[in-house]
Amino acid sequence: MNEIDQYFQYLVESGGSDLHLSEGEPPKIRVHGSVTPISEDILSHEVINRLLSQICDAEAYARYLAAGDLDFAYEMDEKSRFRCNFFKQQRGLAAVFRLIPTDIMTLEQLGIPDPVREFAHMRSGLVLVTGPTGSGKSTTLAAIIDYINNNQSRHIITVEEPIEFVHRNKNCIITQREVPMQTPTFADGLRAALREDADIILVGEMRDLETIRLALTAAETGLLVFGTLHTNNARKTVDRIIDVFPSDQQSQVRTMLAASLRGVVAQLLMKRCDKPGRCAVNEIMFATPAVSSIIREGATQKLTDVIVGGKQMGMQFMDDAIWQKLQQGYVSPVEAYMKAIDKARFRNFLPPEDQKLANSSGGA
């Protein structure tokens, strides 16, 4: 048993999601969105160096000390797996550990709307699952892949940094590759997947121009590609994809994206007020002919109206999803107001003292 496992056990027993270790600070955990210290002991350089070095090999740890960053996965036991990020900060060494459930939850258990399941039945194109860090993108993607694994017979290749959810072969063949252990970069893994008889490719993070270009190409050639981006809604997702490219290439990229995009699922996590925990809210956009035309024209400001008007096709606007959670009593008016795009819609539900603050700040 490694010394750091005592912190991991505390995290699991507390129902937390993340462990934060930082030189010069006490250890802290995140539970239901809030970060709190778990002891008053300050982590010295010697202690944190010992804790971190015990759970990765010497070569990788030397790379971390030299470069200042390291990503990998650590398995404490059969039921406890963690995504690890080592980094350096002003006071010295630091790390954040995200608990990864070993049992993959279903879309129903996660509360993901039924229309999202339609993306699993598509045969080709690009599907993007987006949201800020810690919004549950990886969990939702794992549920989609697990649904495919249970109901179809296909070859799925994942390229991740690190591998988070470990999928067992059921009806599908699932090949999981970790950057940089099994493939040097996301782009290299994607390029190789085009020659590996894949039906579906999952790209853990579309973070650079080359990876995005290859994902679009793979989608155009008949593969179903799932990817993630750190954007809050469908419109920003389309803009982010296009803006990555130089201005002289953006017209061509808009054409490629209009042809290959199948949909966007944007996700936020909201703190519940009816019981401890958080709930997911989703914006869903399907690439209808109207959506494809808007992308080709570069008029992404029109996407919101298409999503709002596309309820019968399974689309859902983020503010409508937040409104539904508020009406159901799952989230507080303050939480709804803070996460909403159109804050004026939620301002009148705030307590009087919060309304005054919102008005004085202009609703920002």
Side-chain angles (χ1 to χ4, degrees):
M1 179 175 174
N2 291 311
E3 188 178 349
I4 198 172
D5 288 351
Q6 62 181 315
Y7 295 115
F8 291 145
Q9 288 176 341
Y10 186 92
L11 178 71
V12 172
E13 291 167 1
S14 301
S17 60
D18 300 85
L19 169 67
H20 293 251
L21 301 180
S22 184
E23 187 174 330
E25 293 285 331
K28 301 171 184 176
I29 64 171
R30 183 184 296 274
V31 181
H32 306 321
S34 300
V35 178
T36 56
I38 60 177
S39 77
E40 297 180 357
D41 297 332
I42 301 299
L43 294 170
S44 67
H45 176 79
E46 292 74 18
V47 169
I48 193 168
N49 184 64
R50 185 172 69 248
L51 292 173
L52 301 187
S53 63
Q54 288 177 351
I55 60 171
C56 72
D57 63 70
E59 183 180 344
Y61 197 69
R63 285 202 308 271
Y64 158 58
L65 293 178
D69 287 286
L70 179 67
D71 289 294
F72 65 99
Y74 170 69
E75 194 168 286
M76 181 176 68
D77 53 43
E78 291 182 357
K79 294 185 177 181
S80 302
R81 182 177 170 85
F82 300 87
R83 184 184 71 198
C84 312
N85 174 245
F86 290 3
F87 59 98
K88 290 183 178 179
Q89 42 88 26
Q90 186 181 20
R91 289 181 299 274
L93 307 182
V96 175
F97 305 88
R98 166 68 52 83
L99 176 62
I100 305 168
T102 52
D103 295 326
I104 298 172
M105 296 179 70
T106 66
L107 292 167
E108 292 81 6
Q109 288 172 327
L110 293 172
I112 305 301
D114 290 342
V116 171
R117 196 180 292 110
E118 294 183 29
F119 292 119
H121 293 284
M122 294 178 175
R123 311 307 294 181
S124 65
L126 177 65
V127 177
L128 297 169
V129 178
T130 74
T133 300
S135 60
K137 299 185 298 295
S138 298
T139 305
T140 297
L141 264 177
I144 294 173
I145 295 300
D146 190 58
Y147 175 82
I148 296 171
N149 196 14
N150 281 310
N151 293 281
Q152 302 175 30
S153 298
R154 307 172 83 179
H155 181 203
I156 303 169
I157 296 177
T158 77
V159 185
E160 305 168 76
E161 184 187 11
I163 292 172
E164 296 189 26
F165 293 89
V166 177
H167 293 270
R168 312 297 178 192
N169 290 348
K170 297 175 185 176
N171 291 322
C172 292
I173 300 171
I174 301 185
T175 303
Q176 295 187 260
R177 307 189 70 193
E178 183 168 316
V179 176
M181 307 300 289
Q182 285 91 41
T183 183
T185 66
F186 283 105
D188 288 323
L190 250 175
R191 197 178 290 110
L194 297 174
R195 304 187 297 272
E196 293 165 355
D197 189 35
D199 299 296
I200 298 170
I201 303 173
L202 184 152
V203 187
E205 191 171 341
M206 293 170 58
R207 62 172 64 155
D208 57 70
L209 185 151
E210 185 64 15
T211 301
I212 293 172
R213 188 194 301 279
L214 286 167
L216 288 169
T217 300
E220 280 191 320
T221 58
L223 299 179
L224 179 58
V225 180
F226 291 96
T228 69
L229 284 173
H230 294 289
T231 49
N232 291 344
N233 56 55
R235 176 185 172 181
K236 289 182 180 178
T237 299
V238 172
D239 288 338
R240 176 71 61 84
I241 292 274
I242 295 166
D243 289 346
V244 165
F245 290 83
S247 57
D248 62 331
Q249 298 179 24
Q250 290 182 1
S251 178
Q252 179 187 359
V253 171
R254 279 196 293 269
T255 301
M256 291 177 67
L257 186 61
S260 61
L261 185 67
R262 295 294 175 267
V264 177
V265 180
Q267 182 161 306
L268 298 174
L269 285 182
M270 302 185 70
K271 187 178 293 186
R272 297 188 70 140
C273 65
D274 60 327
K275 64 179 182 180
R278 293 185 288 177
C279 59
V281 289
N282 299 95
E283 179 166 292
I284 304 168
M285 182 185 77
F286 288 98
T288 62
V291 167
S292 298
S293 177
I294 286 170
I295 294 173
R296 272 193 300 271
E297 294 169 4
T300 54
Q301 70 276 6
K302 298 179 182 178
L303 287 176
T304 298
D305 292 336
V306 174
I307 296 169
V308 171
K311 288 183 180 180
Q312 291 184 335
M313 292 176 282
M315 296 200 213
Q316 179 171 266
F317 183 49
M318 182 63 79
D319 278 5
D320 290 339
I322 294 173
W323 178 266
Q324 185 180 32
K325 298 296 184 187
L326 178 62
Q327 295 296 301
Q328 292 171 331
Y330 293 167
V331 301
S332 70
V334 173
E335 180 75 356
Y337 177 84
M338 294 299 295
K339 295 291 175 66
I341 298 169
D342 178 13
K343 297 190 182 301
R345 178 178 178 181
F346 296 87
R347 187 179 294 127
N348 290 338
F349 292 90
L350 293 172
E353 60 274 15
D354 290 309
Q355 281 194 35
K356 292 178 182 177
L357 183 62
N359 290 333
S360 65
S361 63

